[in-house]
Amino acid sequence: LKHRGPDGKGYFRDDNVYFGHRRLSIIDLELGHQPMTEDSGRFTIIFNGEIYNYIELRNDLISKKYNFNTESDTEVILKLYMHYGEQCTDKLNGIFSFAIYDNKEKKIFISRDHLGVKPLYYSLDNDNFYFCSEIKPILFLTNRTGNISEKSLSLWLTFRHIPSPYTMFKNIFKLPPGNFLIYQI
């Protein structure tokens, strides 16, 4: 995914999860590196997009006694999730797809913006959960090259469009706009 973010790369790994991230830096060029783990080490986020109301949300969280180490919208999403849980996306005004790993509860929360501007694909293969902003890495990791979904092909030929959650490939799905998914490890 190097072409997706020339300004930075980062990795997070523990016994259950491996996150990789490429970054195009727009906000907080110095400290906004990803994956980002909050101070207690419990939550880790990777994020693609931009949150337009992050300053307002940050100020609200500061009033609720949250401390920030960066000026980034990424950290705002992370603290929003810590405070509001799954309802954090109701507060976000922007274009986004992100994943948050909770290493205490052993779950991954993924979410996509309300208009579906930022893509988010996922697959479950041999008890492994994969997700990405593009399909190619999932095809590579799951060795599914060429497994075309007949249902999706039919949708494409009929409507010239493949609606969520389908993609052209078997067992690879796109998260519908404005939705989230929780994968329990």
Side-chain angles (χ1 to χ4, degrees), residues 44-55:
T44 300
I45 185 172
I46 52 175
F47 162 61
N48 176 27
E50 185 176 359
I51 304 303
Y52 307 132
N53 62 335
Y54 81 98
I55 293 174

Side-chain angles (χ1 to χ4, degrees), residues 12-19 36-38 41-46 78 81 98-110 131 183 185:
F12 169 83
R13 183 181 191 142
D14 77 359
D15 293 340
N16 300 301
V17 171
Y18 183 84
F19 281 174
M36 181 182 289
T37 301
E38 53 83 29
R42 178 176 174 179
F43 299 101
T44 300
I45 185 172
I46 52 175
L78 192 56
Y81 182 79
F98 65 86
I100 297 176
Y101 170 55
D102 179 340
N103 73 16
K104 181 179 178 186
E105 299 290 326
K106 303 297 182 210
K107 67 181 180 179
I108 299 172
F109 173 84
I110 65 172
F131 62 91
Y183 178 73
I185 297 170

Side-chain angles (χ1 to χ4, degrees), residues 37-145:
T37 301
E38 53 83 29
D39 291 336
S40 76
R42 178 176 174 179
F43 299 101
T44 300
I45 185 172
I46 52 175
F47 162 61
N48 176 27
E50 185 176 359
I51 304 303
Y52 307 132
N53 62 335
Y54 81 98
I55 293 174
E56 167 189 319
L57 295 169
R58 185 179 191 273
N59 291 336
D60 183 54
L61 289 164
I62 288 171
S63 75
K64 293 175 171 46
K65 307 299 182 210
Y66 284 89
N67 296 316
F68 287 83
N69 299 313
T70 75
E71 298 293 323
S72 72
D73 49 358
T74 304
E75 188 176 18
V76 170
I77 297 170
L78 192 56
K79 302 288 171 96
L80 273 175
Y81 182 79
M82 291 168 62
H83 190 78
Y84 294 104
E86 298 158 10
Q87 286 72 42
C88 69
T89 58
D90 296 340
K91 307 262 183 218
L92 298 174
N93 177 7
I95 54 175
F96 58 85
S97 62
F98 65 86
I100 297 176
Y101 170 55
D102 179 340
N103 73 16
K104 181 179 178 186
E105 299 290 326
K106 303 297 182 210
K107 67 181 180 179
I108 299 172
F109 173 84
I110 65 172
S111 182
R112 187 173 178 210
D113 65 82
H114 309 308
L115 295 176
V117 174
K118 293 296 180 179
L120 188 53
Y121 300 96
Y122 65 94
S123 180
L124 186 62
D125 183 67
N126 296 325
D127 295 327
N128 292 307
F129 179 66
Y130 301 91
F131 62 91
C132 194
S133 59
E134 291 185 12
I135 291 178
K136 281 186 202 178
I138 296 173
L139 289 170
F140 175 78
L141 291 168
T142 60
N143 198 23
R144 287 202 184 124
T145 309

